[in-house]
Amino acid sequence: MSALTIRALEVSRGTQPVLRGANLDVNAGEIVALMGSSGAGKTTVLRAIAALQSFSGGTITLGDVELHKGSLPPQSQLGELRAKVGMVFQEHALFEHLTVLDNVTLAPIHVRRWSRGRAISAATEWLQSLGVAERLDAFPGQLSGGQAQRVSIARSLVLDPQLLLMDEPTSALDPSRRIALAETLRNLTAGGRALLISTHDVEFARACADRIATLADGIISES
């Protein structure tokens, strides 16, 4: 079962093409590593999937949600997409003035309108499973790079997305933490969740991914 289907995706920066008809499939329960040189457009692919980046050609399909070329849909029409897709940015993008717990419960409470009790329960469960529950009262500036990365993952997973997008997740981690993260990500596919990970880290990709897709000259090929 496909969690993500990209067909003939085209994106340009001004007059310079970045993606020239890229195709990619990610199946439920699968981890795909998207590799390529710096500036190849890996982050652009992730942002297009999450409807943070418009595109000029092709389609992106996530279950029964389909994105088309042109302007981004209005926020009022993105609720179903946001329920299906979570994104972990390269820089963890946690709100510095909020505690770990408040960062993770922000969307459930203010976007999904969950009760605070339900949000805290779900957030605490994910923080526990990712090994950072003891830091729930800390602020982002008090966390190590690895801890901040795991909190960012918990923030994305608390809404139980079917597809998790990760942009260069090992950039702030030492080698031992990279392997530990790979093991953590493998566990996240239980229940059919799919992961698409942008990375330049070959060892990490081999440790966690079922397939590696390479982006070069605006086209995605698999190996």
Side-chain angles (χ1 to χ4, degrees):
M1 178 180 175
S2 178
L4 168 69
T5 302
I6 297 175
R7 290 291 178 268
L9 185 62
E10 298 179 1
V11 177
S12 296
R13 295 193 188 103
T15 60
Q16 181 65 38
V18 178
L19 303 176
R20 306 169 182 262
N23 299 305
L24 181 67
D25 292 280
V26 181
N27 297 318
E30 182 179 43
I31 299 177
V32 175
L34 180 60
M35 304 196 70
S37 61
S38 179
K42 301 187 299 298
T43 299
T44 298
V45 173
L46 299 190
R47 289 178 57 83
I49 296 167
L52 299 173
Q53 161 81 56
S54 61
F55 51 96
S56 55
T59 59
I60 298 173
T61 306
L62 304 108
D64 53 358
V65 176
E66 190 166 284
L67 299 175
H68 298 274
K69 67 180 182 180
S71 301
L72 294 175
Q75 288 296 321
S76 60
Q77 297 178 15
L78 289 177
E80 191 174 357
L81 175 71
R82 299 285 184 251
K84 294 178 180 295
V85 180
M87 184 160 180
V88 180
F89 297 91
Q90 180 175 356
E91 301 298 333
H92 56 72
L94 298 172
F95 291 103
E96 296 290 342
H97 66 291
L98 298 178
T99 65
V100 164
L101 183 62
D102 288 339
N103 265 283
V104 179
T105 58
L106 189 65
I109 292 174
H110 296 285
V111 177
R112 292 289 184 83
R113 303 300 179 186
W114 290 6
S115 69
R116 182 165 178 79
R118 178 186 176 188
I120 290 175
S121 177
T124 302
E125 183 176 345
W126 274 114
L127 291 168
Q128 182 71 45
S129 69
L130 291 166
V132 284
E134 77 282 358
R135 305 295 282 155
L136 59 84
D137 291 324
F139 289 90
Q142 299 171 319
L143 304 176
S144 68
Q147 289 172 335
Q149 183 67 265
R150 289 170 182 268
V151 171
S152 185
I153 294 171
R155 181 177 60 178
S156 293
L157 291 175
V158 71
L159 297 178
D160 196 27
Q162 298 171 14
L163 174 66
L164 182 63
L165 309 173
M166 302 187 74
D167 190 14
E168 299 288 358
T170 63
S171 60
L173 304 182
D174 59 41
S176 63
R177 291 288 185 182
R178 293 174 186 178
I179 299 305
L181 177 61
E183 294 172 356
T184 297
L185 297 183
R186 294 296 310 172
N187 293 331
L188 296 183
T189 60
R193 181 179 288 106
L195 280 72
L196 177 60
I197 303 170
S198 162
T199 182
H200 65 277
D201 188 332
V202 176
E203 182 179 357
F204 172 74
R206 288 175 175 166
C208 74
D210 298 296
R211 287 187 291 125
I212 294 176
T214 302
L215 177 59
D217 298 322
I219 301 295
I220 295 175
S221 59
E222 292 190 26
S223 59

